[in-house]
Amino acid sequence: MLTRRTFLSAASAAAISGCGGAQTVTRTAPDDPALRPRPDPGWDAWVAAFRPRAAAAGIQPGVIDGAFRGAGFLPGVIERDRNQTEFRRSFEDYLAIVASEPKVEAGRAAFARQRATLAAIESTYGVPAEIVCAIWGVESNFGTRRGDIPTISAVSSLAYDGRRGAFFESQLVAALRILQAGDVTADRMVGSWAGAMGHTQFIPTSYLQSAVDFTGDGRRDIWGEDPADALASTASYLAGAGWQRGASWAIEDPAGSLTPDPGGPSFRTGPNFRVIKRYNNSDSYALGVGYLADRIAGGAPLRQGFGPDRYGLTIAQRQDLQRRLTVAGFDTGGTDGVIGPNSRTAIAAFQASRGLPATGDPSPALLAML
C-alpha cells in the first residue's frame, strides 16, 4: 500500500498558511483570481487528449463530460506547486501549530460532539478514537477548514503542467471513478490545491482504497458537514496500513532513540508510530498526531521542555516578541511563538523603520529594543 502522501507533501502544505507565520490549516480565499478557471488553449488540448485515456480506463463519457463542465485551468495551483520551498520547522514549532492548548481544547470539544461515532469507529476498526480525532484536527482543524478548490480543475491543471504529470493524471482518473460511483457530485468535490479532499484530506487514490460508507446512506461522503464517513475512512486506512490494537505509538522517554530537537523531549516509538507515518511520512507529523491524541484523551503536556532556538529565544520570548511588534504597529498575524513569514515581514519592517538591516531575523537584542 502506498504511503498516502509520500510524494504529496504539497497536500499538507496546501492546507496550511501563517498565523504569525505559523502553519495552520486554512481555506483558500474563494475570490482568489488565480484559483478561478481561466481560458488556456494548452489545457483544453490536454483535456481533449486525456478523454480517450479516461474512457479506456472505464470512465463513462457522460461522467467525463459532467466532470469537466465548468472545470478549467487554475494558474494558482501551478504557482503553489512550483513555489514550494524546502524548509524544516523545528518540532517545537510544529507542536505549537498542531497541538497548542487552544487546539487541545478544540479537540476535546470536537471529541465530545462525536463521542458516539468515534467509539463505534474504534470498535469497528480497532484504531483509538483519539487518534482518529487528532488526525481530523491536524488535517482540517476538526472539519472547519476542508478546502474549497475544485478537485477536477486542480488535479487536471497539475497533470497538464507535467511536473508530476503521471501521478496527477492517476489522481484525476481516480477522482472520475469517485464521481462515477455516485459518492459526490463534481461541484461538491473540493479540497486543497494539490487534490487532498474532505475532513481528513484524502487524495483520490487513497479514497478509492480506503473510504467507507459508515453512515449507511449509500455514499462514502468525506466532504459534507457530517464527518462520520471521513473519520471511519481514516480508521479504515490506518487499519489497512497495519494498526495494532493495544500497541503504542510512542512514549516520551529520556532514553528514547528519537529526539527531533536537540535538547528537547525524546521518544521511544512503537509499531503504530510507523502506521501513522503511512498517513503522512513525517516524524513530526506522527509525533504531533500522537501527542494531540494523548492530550485530547486527557494526557498531560510533555515533561521535557524545549530550550532556546537558533536565535537564542525561548517560545515564551518569541511570543512576547510577536505581541510587542503587533502593539508597535507591526502586525505578526498571531502570537503563537512560531517565527514564520508573517512574523519575519513584521520584523523586517520594524528593523527598516529603525534604520537597521531588514533581515527579518528575531534576536534577544530585538526583543530588548521593543
Side-chain angles (χ1 to χ4, degrees):
M1 177 168 44
L2 289 173
T3 302
R4 189 178 67 104
R5 282 180 293 174
T6 299
F7 39 77
L8 200 63
S9 60
S12 292
I16 50 186
S17 70
C19 180
Q23 293 182 343
T24 50
V25 181
T26 188
R27 295 180 66 135
T28 304
D31 60 351
D32 185 344
L35 292 170
R36 296 176 189 161
R38 68 176 56 174
D40 187 285
W43 181 85
D44 292 338
W46 185 91
V47 171
F50 167 74
R51 285 175 176 269
R53 299 197 295 272
I59 308 300
Q60 298 167 3
V63 172
I64 300 171
D65 291 342
F68 282 98
R69 189 176 300 119
F73 178 67
L74 304 180
V77 163
I78 307 306
E79 293 166 11
R80 285 157 176 74
D81 187 49
R82 291 178 178 173
N83 291 336
Q84 294 181 82
T85 58
E86 292 296 327
F87 179 71
R88 184 187 180 279
R89 285 201 181 279
S90 70
F91 179 55
E92 182 184 25
D93 278 359
Y94 190 78
L95 283 190
I97 295 161
V98 304
S100 64
E101 288 303 314
K103 192 71 168 278
V104 170
E105 293 174 8
R108 290 173 177 168
F111 188 96
R113 290 193 301 272
Q114 299 295 329
R115 186 181 304 276
T117 297
L118 288 165
I121 289 170
E122 179 173 346
S123 176
T124 301
Y125 297 102
V127 179
E130 62 268 22
I131 289 287
V132 175
C133 189
I135 289 176
W136 185 29
V138 171
E139 295 291 346
S140 72
N141 197 28
F142 307 106
T144 63
R145 297 168 182 173
R146 304 191 290 275
D148 54 11
I149 300 173
T151 300
I152 296 297
S153 292
V155 295
S156 64
S157 295
L158 290 161
Y160 157 62
D161 180 61
R163 190 172 79 85
R164 291 176 287 170
F167 168 69
F168 282 110
E169 182 165 327
S170 74
Q171 298 307 313
L172 178 57
V173 171
L176 293 171
R177 291 191 193 282
I178 295 168
L179 294 175
Q180 185 160 276
D183 286 308
V184 69
T185 57
D187 62 307
R188 291 186 62 240
M189 181 183 274
V190 295
S192 79
W193 65 260
M197 308 176 298
H199 284 265
T200 51
Q201 296 290 282
F202 268 63
I203 58 173
T205 50
S206 292
Y207 176 99
L208 291 179
Q209 170 189 284
S210 300
V212 297
D213 172 20
F214 199 71
T215 62
D217 65 357
R219 296 181 299 113
R220 300 168 293 174
D221 184 5
I222 65 172
W223 300 269
E225 291 303 312
D226 184 351
D229 284 357
L231 299 176
S233 296
T234 297
S236 167
Y237 183 96
L238 295 174
W243 189 273
Q244 297 182 26
R245 292 176 185 249
S248 71
W249 67 271
I251 297 172
E252 186 182 2
D253 183 347
S257 61
L258 179 58
T259 307
D261 289 357
S266 297
F267 299 88
R268 175 163 46 89
T269 62
N272 287 331
F273 178 78
R274 292 182 289 277
V275 178
I276 298 173
K277 287 185 66 175
R278 297 291 293 273
Y279 209 83
N280 186 317
N281 191 26
S282 159
D283 285 347
S284 288
Y285 180 89
L287 290 171
V289 163
Y291 175 66
L292 179 58
D294 285 356
R295 296 298 314 283
I296 288 172
L302 294 170
R303 297 186 303 274
Q304 173 65 43
F306 296 87
D309 65 8
R310 62 195 176 103
Y311 299 106
L313 296 171
T314 64
I315 190 168
Q317 290 174 316
R318 297 193 297 274
Q319 291 170 333
D320 191 26
L321 177 67
Q322 290 171 324
R323 282 191 292 268
R324 291 175 182 275
L325 280 166
T326 300
V327 168
F330 303 90
D331 188 9
T332 60
T335 56
D336 53 14
V338 179
I339 305 299
N342 292 343
S343 291
R344 290 185 177 279
T345 298
I347 290 170
F350 174 79
Q351 290 169 327
S353 74
R354 298 300 176 91
L356 302 170
T359 64
D361 292 335
S363 69
L366 182 69
L367 177 59
M369 188 180 302
L370 284 159

Short mmCIF file of all heavy atoms in Angstrom, two decimals, residues 13-70:
data_model
loop_
_atom_site.label_atom_id
_atom_site.label_comp_id
_atom_site.label_asym_id
_atom_site.label_seq_id
_atom_site.Cartn_x
_atom_site.Cartn_y
_atom_site.Cartn_z
N ALA A 13 1.11 21.01 2.71
CA ALA A 13 1.48 22.42 2.63
C ALA A 13 0.34 23.25 2.08
O ALA A 13 0.15 24.41 2.46
CB ALA A 13 2.71 22.59 1.74
N ALA A 14 -0.45 22.64 1.19
CA ALA A 14 -1.54 23.39 0.59
C ALA A 14 -2.58 23.79 1.60
O ALA A 14 -3.28 24.78 1.43
CB ALA A 14 -2.19 22.55 -0.50
N ALA A 15 -2.69 23.02 2.64
CA ALA A 15 -3.75 23.28 3.62
C ALA A 15 -3.30 24.17 4.74
O ALA A 15 -4.02 24.37 5.70
CB ALA A 15 -4.24 21.95 4.19
N ILE A 16 -2.08 24.74 4.65
CA ILE A 16 -1.56 25.48 5.78
C ILE A 16 -1.06 26.84 5.36
O ILE A 16 -0.55 27.04 4.28
CB ILE A 16 -0.44 24.71 6.48
CG1 ILE A 16 0.60 24.24 5.48
CG2 ILE A 16 -0.98 23.55 7.24
CD1 ILE A 16 1.65 23.34 6.07
N SER A 17 -1.24 27.81 6.23
CA SER A 17 -0.71 29.14 6.00
C SER A 17 -0.42 29.77 7.33
O SER A 17 -0.66 29.19 8.37
CB SER A 17 -1.70 29.99 5.19
OG SER A 17 -2.81 30.30 5.98
N GLY A 18 0.11 30.99 7.31
CA GLY A 18 0.67 31.53 8.53
C GLY A 18 -0.28 32.22 9.46
O GLY A 18 -0.99 33.13 9.09
N CYS A 19 -0.26 31.81 10.68
CA CYS A 19 -0.86 32.55 11.79
C CYS A 19 0.33 32.99 12.62
O CYS A 19 0.92 32.20 13.34
CB CYS A 19 -1.82 31.68 12.57
SG CYS A 19 -2.61 32.50 13.95
N GLY A 20 0.76 34.22 12.44
CA GLY A 20 2.05 34.62 12.95
C GLY A 20 3.16 33.97 12.15
O GLY A 20 4.27 33.83 12.60
N GLY A 21 2.84 33.58 10.91
CA GLY A 21 3.79 32.87 10.09
C GLY A 21 3.76 31.39 10.34
O GLY A 21 4.46 30.64 9.70
N ALA A 22 2.96 30.93 11.26
CA ALA A 22 2.90 29.50 11.55
C ALA A 22 2.12 28.78 10.49
O ALA A 22 1.43 29.37 9.68
CB ALA A 22 2.23 29.29 12.90
N GLN A 23 2.21 27.44 10.52
CA GLN A 23 1.44 26.63 9.62
C GLN A 23 0.19 26.17 10.34
O GLN A 23 0.26 25.38 11.26
CB GLN A 23 2.24 25.42 9.14
CG GLN A 23 3.41 25.81 8.26
CD GLN A 23 4.14 24.59 7.77
OE1 GLN A 23 4.00 23.50 8.31
NE2 GLN A 23 4.94 24.77 6.76
N THR A 24 -0.96 26.68 9.93
CA THR A 24 -2.22 26.23 10.49
C THR A 24 -3.18 26.00 9.35
O THR A 24 -3.18 26.73 8.37
CB THR A 24 -2.82 27.29 11.45
OG1 THR A 24 -2.82 28.55 10.79
CG2 THR A 24 -2.02 27.38 12.72
N VAL A 25 -4.01 25.00 9.47
CA VAL A 25 -4.90 24.65 8.39
C VAL A 25 -5.83 25.82 8.09
O VAL A 25 -6.39 26.42 8.98
CB VAL A 25 -5.73 23.41 8.76
CG1 VAL A 25 -6.65 23.04 7.62
CG2 VAL A 25 -4.82 22.24 9.08
N THR A 26 -5.98 26.14 6.83
CA THR A 26 -6.84 27.25 6.45
C THR A 26 -7.44 27.00 5.09
O THR A 26 -6.97 26.16 4.34
CB THR A 26 -6.05 28.58 6.43
OG1 THR A 26 -6.95 29.66 6.25
CG2 THR A 26 -5.01 28.61 5.32
N ARG A 27 -8.48 27.74 4.77
CA ARG A 27 -9.10 27.62 3.46
C ARG A 27 -8.55 28.68 2.53
O ARG A 27 -8.25 29.80 2.94
CB ARG A 27 -10.61 27.81 3.59
CG ARG A 27 -11.29 26.75 4.38
CD ARG A 27 -12.77 27.00 4.47
NE ARG A 27 -13.37 26.87 3.15
CZ ARG A 27 -14.51 26.21 2.95
NH1 ARG A 27 -15.13 25.64 3.94
NH2 ARG A 27 -15.01 26.12 1.74
N THR A 28 -8.42 28.33 1.27
CA THR A 28 -8.03 29.31 0.28
C THR A 28 -9.20 30.25 0.03
O THR A 28 -10.34 29.83 -0.07
CB THR A 28 -7.67 28.60 -1.04
OG1 THR A 28 -6.66 27.64 -0.77
CG2 THR A 28 -7.17 29.58 -2.07
N ALA A 29 -8.91 31.54 -0.06
CA ALA A 29 -9.98 32.51 -0.29
C ALA A 29 -10.65 32.22 -1.62
O ALA A 29 -9.99 32.14 -2.65
CB ALA A 29 -9.40 33.92 -0.29
N PRO A 30 -11.97 32.06 -1.64
CA PRO A 30 -12.64 31.71 -2.88
C PRO A 30 -12.57 32.80 -3.93
O PRO A 30 -12.82 32.54 -5.11
CB PRO A 30 -14.09 31.46 -2.44
CG PRO A 30 -14.24 32.19 -1.15
CD PRO A 30 -12.89 32.13 -0.49
N ASP A 31 -12.24 34.02 -3.53
CA ASP A 31 -12.17 35.10 -4.51
C ASP A 31 -10.75 35.29 -5.06
O ASP A 31 -10.49 36.28 -5.74
CB ASP A 31 -12.69 36.40 -3.90
CG ASP A 31 -11.89 36.83 -2.68
OD1 ASP A 31 -11.04 36.04 -2.21
OD2 ASP A 31 -12.11 37.96 -2.21
N ASP A 32 -9.86 34.37 -4.78
CA ASP A 32 -8.51 34.46 -5.32
C ASP A 32 -8.58 34.27 -6.84
O ASP A 32 -8.92 33.19 -7.32
CB ASP A 32 -7.63 33.37 -4.69
CG ASP A 32 -6.18 33.47 -5.12
OD1 ASP A 32 -5.89 34.17 -6.12
OD2 ASP A 32 -5.33 32.84 -4.47
N PRO A 33 -8.29 35.30 -7.63
CA PRO A 33 -8.44 35.17 -9.09
C PRO A 33 -7.54 34.09 -9.69
O PRO A 33 -7.88 33.53 -10.73
CB PRO A 33 -8.07 36.57 -9.61
CG PRO A 33 -7.34 37.23 -8.50
CD PRO A 33 -7.85 36.64 -7.23
N ALA A 34 -6.41 33.79 -9.05
CA ALA A 34 -5.52 32.76 -9.58
C ALA A 34 -6.09 31.37 -9.42
O ALA A 34 -5.58 30.41 -10.00
CB ALA A 34 -4.15 32.85 -8.91
N LEU A 35 -7.16 31.25 -8.60
CA LEU A 35 -7.78 29.95 -8.39
C LEU A 35 -9.16 29.88 -9.05
O LEU A 35 -9.97 29.01 -8.72
CB LEU A 35 -7.88 29.65 -6.89
CG LEU A 35 -6.52 29.43 -6.23
CD1 LEU A 35 -6.65 29.38 -4.72
CD2 LEU A 35 -5.86 28.16 -6.75
N ARG A 36 -9.39 30.77 -10.00
CA ARG A 36 -10.58 30.70 -10.83
C ARG A 36 -10.19 30.16 -12.19
O ARG A 36 -9.14 30.52 -12.73
CB ARG A 36 -11.19 32.09 -11.02
CG ARG A 36 -11.69 32.74 -9.75
CD ARG A 36 -12.16 34.15 -10.06
NE ARG A 36 -12.47 34.91 -8.86
CZ ARG A 36 -12.55 36.22 -8.83
NH1 ARG A 36 -12.34 36.91 -9.93
NH2 ARG A 36 -12.85 36.84 -7.70
N PRO A 37 -11.00 29.27 -12.78
CA PRO A 37 -10.67 28.77 -14.12
C PRO A 37 -10.52 29.91 -15.11
O PRO A 37 -11.29 30.87 -15.09
CB PRO A 37 -11.87 27.88 -14.47
CG PRO A 37 -12.44 27.48 -13.15
CD PRO A 37 -12.23 28.67 -12.24
N ARG A 38 -9.51 29.79 -15.94
CA ARG A 38 -9.32 30.80 -16.98
C ARG A 38 -9.00 30.10 -18.30
O ARG A 38 -8.49 28.97 -18.30
CB ARG A 38 -8.21 31.78 -16.60
CG ARG A 38 -6.82 31.20 -16.57
CD ARG A 38 -5.78 32.28 -16.28
NE ARG A 38 -6.05 33.00 -15.04
CZ ARG A 38 -5.21 33.91 -14.52
NH1 ARG A 38 -4.08 34.19 -15.14
NH2 ARG A 38 -5.52 34.52 -13.39
N PRO A 39 -9.29 30.73 -19.41
CA PRO A 39 -9.04 30.09 -20.71
C PRO A 39 -7.57 29.76 -20.88
O PRO A 39 -6.68 30.55 -20.55
CB PRO A 39 -9.48 31.17 -21.71
CG PRO A 39 -10.43 32.04 -20.96
CD PRO A 39 -9.93 32.05 -19.54
N ASP A 40 -7.31 28.55 -21.38
CA ASP A 40 -5.94 28.13 -21.64
C ASP A 40 -5.98 27.09 -22.75
O ASP A 40 -6.39 25.94 -22.52
CB ASP A 40 -5.30 27.54 -20.38
CG ASP A 40 -3.82 27.25 -20.56
OD1 ASP A 40 -3.49 26.25 -21.22
OD2 ASP A 40 -3.00 28.03 -20.04
N PRO A 41 -5.58 27.45 -23.96
CA PRO A 41 -5.65 26.50 -25.08
C PRO A 41 -4.84 25.23 -24.83
O PRO A 41 -5.25 24.14 -25.27
CB PRO A 41 -5.08 27.31 -26.25
CG PRO A 41 -5.26 28.74 -25.87
CD PRO A 41 -5.11 28.79 -24.39
N GLY A 42 -3.73 25.36 -24.12
CA GLY A 42 -2.92 24.17 -23.83
C GLY A 42 -3.66 23.19 -22.93
O GLY A 42 -3.64 21.97 -23.17
N TRP A 43 -4.33 23.72 -21.90
CA TRP A 43 -5.12 22.85 -21.02
C TRP A 43 -6.27 22.21 -21.79
O TRP A 43 -6.55 21.02 -21.64
CB TRP A 43 -5.65 23.66 -19.84
CG TRP A 43 -6.45 22.86 -18.85
CD1 TRP A 43 -5.99 22.14 -17.81
CD2 TRP A 43 -7.89 22.74 -18.82
NE1 TRP A 43 -7.03 21.55 -17.11
CE2 TRP A 43 -8.21 21.90 -17.72
CE3 TRP A 43 -8.93 23.24 -19.61
CZ2 TRP A 43 -9.52 21.56 -17.40
CZ3 TRP A 43 -10.24 22.90 -19.29
CH2 TRP A 43 -10.52 22.07 -18.20
N ASP A 44 -6.92 22.99 -22.64
CA ASP A 44 -8.02 22.46 -23.45
C ASP A 44 -7.54 21.29 -24.30
O ASP A 44 -8.21 20.25 -24.39
CB ASP A 44 -8.61 23.54 -24.35
CG ASP A 44 -9.34 24.62 -23.58
OD1 ASP A 44 -9.74 24.37 -22.42
OD2 ASP A 44 -9.51 25.73 -24.14
N ALA A 45 -6.37 21.47 -24.94
CA ALA A 45 -5.83 20.40 -25.79
C ALA A 45 -5.46 19.18 -24.95
O ALA A 45 -5.67 18.04 -25.39
CB ALA A 45 -4.62 20.92 -26.56
N TRP A 46 -4.92 19.43 -23.76
CA TRP A 46 -4.56 18.29 -22.90
C TRP A 46 -5.81 17.51 -22.50
O TRP A 46 -5.81 16.27 -22.53
CB TRP A 46 -3.83 18.80 -21.65
CG TRP A 46 -3.33 17.66 -20.81
CD1 TRP A 46 -2.11 17.07 -20.89
CD2 TRP A 46 -4.05 16.97 -19.79
NE1 TRP A 46 -2.03 16.04 -19.98
CE2 TRP A 46 -3.20 15.95 -19.30
CE3 TRP A 46 -5.33 17.10 -19.26
CZ2 TRP A 46 -3.60 15.07 -18.29
CZ3 TRP A 46 -5.73 16.23 -18.25
CH2 TRP A 46 -4.87 15.23 -17.77
N VAL A 47 -6.86 18.21 -22.13
CA VAL A 47 -8.10 17.54 -21.74
C VAL A 47 -8.66 16.73 -22.90
O VAL A 47 -9.12 15.59 -22.73
CB VAL A 47 -9.14 18.55 -21.21
CG1 VAL A 47 -10.49 17.88 -21.00
CG2 VAL A 47 -8.65 19.18 -19.90
N ALA A 48 -8.62 17.30 -24.11
CA ALA A 48 -9.12 16.58 -25.28
C ALA A 48 -8.33 15.29 -25.50
O ALA A 48 -8.91 14.25 -25.85
CB ALA A 48 -9.04 17.48 -26.51
N ALA A 49 -7.02 15.35 -25.30
CA ALA A 49 -6.19 14.16 -25.46
C ALA A 49 -6.40 13.17 -24.31
O ALA A 49 -6.24 11.95 -24.48
CB ALA A 49 -4.73 14.56 -25.55
N PHE A 50 -6.77 13.68 -23.14
CA PHE A 50 -6.98 12.82 -21.96
C PHE A 50 -8.28 12.03 -22.05
O PHE A 50 -8.37 10.91 -21.53
CB PHE A 50 -6.98 13.69 -20.69
CG PHE A 50 -7.49 12.99 -19.47
CD1 PHE A 50 -6.71 12.03 -18.82
CD2 PHE A 50 -8.76 13.27 -18.96
CE1 PHE A 50 -7.19 11.38 -17.68
CE2 PHE A 50 -9.24 12.62 -17.84
CZ PHE A 50 -8.45 11.67 -17.20
N ARG A 51 -9.29 12.59 -22.69
CA ARG A 51 -10.60 11.95 -22.71
C ARG A 51 -10.54 10.49 -23.19
O ARG A 51 -11.14 9.61 -22.54
CB ARG A 51 -11.56 12.75 -23.58
CG ARG A 51 -12.05 14.04 -22.91
CD ARG A 51 -12.90 14.86 -23.86
NE ARG A 51 -13.45 16.03 -23.20
CZ ARG A 51 -14.63 16.08 -22.60
NH1 ARG A 51 -15.40 15.00 -22.57
NH2 ARG A 51 -15.06 17.20 -22.02
N PRO A 52 -9.85 10.17 -24.28
CA PRO A 52 -9.79 8.76 -24.69
C PRO A 52 -9.07 7.88 -23.65
O PRO A 52 -9.44 6.71 -23.47
CB PRO A 52 -9.01 8.80 -26.00
CG PRO A 52 -9.15 10.19 -26.49
CD PRO A 52 -9.23 11.05 -25.28
N ARG A 53 -8.10 8.44 -22.96
CA ARG A 53 -7.41 7.67 -21.93
C ARG A 53 -8.35 7.38 -20.76
O ARG A 53 -8.34 6.29 -20.18
CB ARG A 53 -6.16 8.40 -21.44
CG ARG A 53 -5.12 8.64 -22.53
CD ARG A 53 -3.75 8.99 -21.97
NE ARG A 53 -3.71 10.25 -21.24
CZ ARG A 53 -3.50 11.44 -21.81
NH1 ARG A 53 -3.35 11.53 -23.13
NH2 ARG A 53 -3.45 12.54 -21.08
N ALA A 54 -9.16 8.37 -20.41
CA ALA A 54 -10.13 8.17 -19.33
C ALA A 54 -11.16 7.12 -19.74
O ALA A 54 -11.53 6.24 -18.95
CB ALA A 54 -10.82 9.48 -18.98
N ALA A 55 -11.62 7.20 -20.99
CA ALA A 55 -12.59 6.21 -21.47
C ALA A 55 -11.98 4.81 -21.46
O ALA A 55 -12.65 3.83 -21.09
CB ALA A 55 -13.07 6.59 -22.87
N ALA A 56 -10.72 4.71 -21.85
CA ALA A 56 -10.05 3.41 -21.85
C ALA A 56 -9.90 2.87 -20.43
O ALA A 56 -9.81 1.64 -20.24
CB ALA A 56 -8.68 3.53 -22.51
N ALA A 57 -9.88 3.76 -19.44
CA ALA A 57 -9.80 3.34 -18.04
C ALA A 57 -11.17 2.98 -17.47
O ALA A 57 -11.27 2.67 -16.28
CB ALA A 57 -9.16 4.45 -17.21
N GLY A 58 -12.21 3.05 -18.30
CA GLY A 58 -13.53 2.64 -17.86
C GLY A 58 -14.43 3.76 -17.40
O GLY A 58 -15.50 3.50 -16.84
N ILE A 59 -14.05 5.00 -17.64
CA ILE A 59 -14.88 6.13 -17.24
C ILE A 59 -15.90 6.41 -18.35
O ILE A 59 -15.54 6.57 -19.52
CB ILE A 59 -14.04 7.40 -16.98
CG1 ILE A 59 -12.90 7.08 -15.99
CG2 ILE A 59 -14.92 8.51 -16.44
CD1 ILE A 59 -13.35 6.59 -14.65
N GLN A 60 -17.15 6.50 -17.99
CA GLN A 60 -18.21 6.69 -18.95
C GLN A 60 -18.15 8.11 -19.54
O GLN A 60 -17.83 9.07 -18.83
CB GLN A 60 -19.57 6.47 -18.29
CG GLN A 60 -19.76 5.06 -17.75
CD GLN A 60 -20.95 4.95 -16.82
OE1 GLN A 60 -21.69 5.93 -16.61
NE2 GLN A 60 -21.15 3.78 -16.25
N PRO A 61 -18.47 8.25 -20.83
CA PRO A 61 -18.41 9.58 -21.47
C PRO A 61 -19.23 10.63 -20.73
O PRO A 61 -18.79 11.78 -20.60
CB PRO A 61 -18.96 9.31 -22.87
CG PRO A 61 -18.67 7.87 -23.12
CD PRO A 61 -18.82 7.19 -21.79
N GLY A 62 -20.42 10.27 -20.24
CA GLY A 62 -21.24 11.24 -19.53
C GLY A 62 -20.58 11.73 -18.26
O GLY A 62 -20.75 12.90 -17.88
N VAL A 63 -19.85 10.86 -17.57
CA VAL A 63 -19.13 11.25 -16.35
C VAL A 63 -18.01 12.22 -16.70
O VAL A 63 -17.81 13.23 -16.01
CB VAL A 63 -18.58 10.01 -15.62
CG1 VAL A 63 -17.69 10.42 -14.46
CG2 VAL A 63 -19.72 9.13 -15.13
N ILE A 64 -17.30 11.93 -17.78
CA ILE A 64 -16.21 12.82 -18.21
C ILE A 64 -16.77 14.19 -18.56
O ILE A 64 -16.26 15.23 -18.13
CB ILE A 64 -15.46 12.21 -19.40
CG1 ILE A 64 -14.84 10.85 -19.03
CG2 ILE A 64 -14.36 13.17 -19.88
CD1 ILE A 64 -14.27 10.10 -20.21
N ASP A 65 -17.86 14.19 -19.34
CA ASP A 65 -18.47 15.47 -19.73
C ASP A 65 -18.91 16.27 -18.51
O ASP A 65 -18.65 17.48 -18.41
CB ASP A 65 -19.67 15.21 -20.64
CG ASP A 65 -19.28 14.66 -22.00
OD1 ASP A 65 -18.10 14.78 -22.37
OD2 ASP A 65 -20.17 14.09 -22.67
N GLY A 66 -19.58 15.59 -17.58
CA GLY A 66 -20.07 16.29 -16.40
C GLY A 66 -18.95 16.81 -15.52
O GLY A 66 -19.05 17.90 -14.95
N ALA A 67 -17.87 16.04 -15.42
CA ALA A 67 -16.75 16.45 -14.56
C ALA A 67 -16.07 17.70 -15.09
O ALA A 67 -15.67 18.57 -14.31
CB ALA A 67 -15.75 15.31 -14.44
N PHE A 68 -15.95 17.79 -16.41
CA PHE A 68 -15.21 18.92 -16.99
C PHE A 68 -16.12 20.09 -17.34
O PHE A 68 -15.63 21.14 -17.75
CB PHE A 68 -14.42 18.46 -18.21
CG PHE A 68 -13.15 17.73 -17.84
CD1 PHE A 68 -13.12 16.35 -17.83
CD2 PHE A 68 -12.03 18.43 -17.46
CE1 PHE A 68 -11.96 15.66 -17.48
CE2 PHE A 68 -10.86 17.77 -17.09
CZ PHE A 68 -10.83 16.38 -17.10
N ARG A 69 -17.43 19.94 -17.15
CA ARG A 69 -18.33 21.06 -17.37
C ARG A 69 -18.11 22.09 -16.27
O ARG A 69 -18.35 21.84 -15.10
CB ARG A 69 -19.78 20.58 -17.38
CG ARG A 69 -20.77 21.65 -17.84
CD ARG A 69 -22.18 21.07 -17.91
NE ARG A 69 -22.25 19.94 -18.85
CZ ARG A 69 -22.58 18.70 -18.52
NH1 ARG A 69 -22.89 18.40 -17.27
NH2 ARG A 69 -22.63 17.75 -19.44
N GLY A 70 -17.59 23.22 -16.61
CA GLY A 70 -17.29 24.24 -15.62
C GLY A 70 -15.89 24.17 -15.06
O GLY A 70 -15.46 25.07 -14.33
#
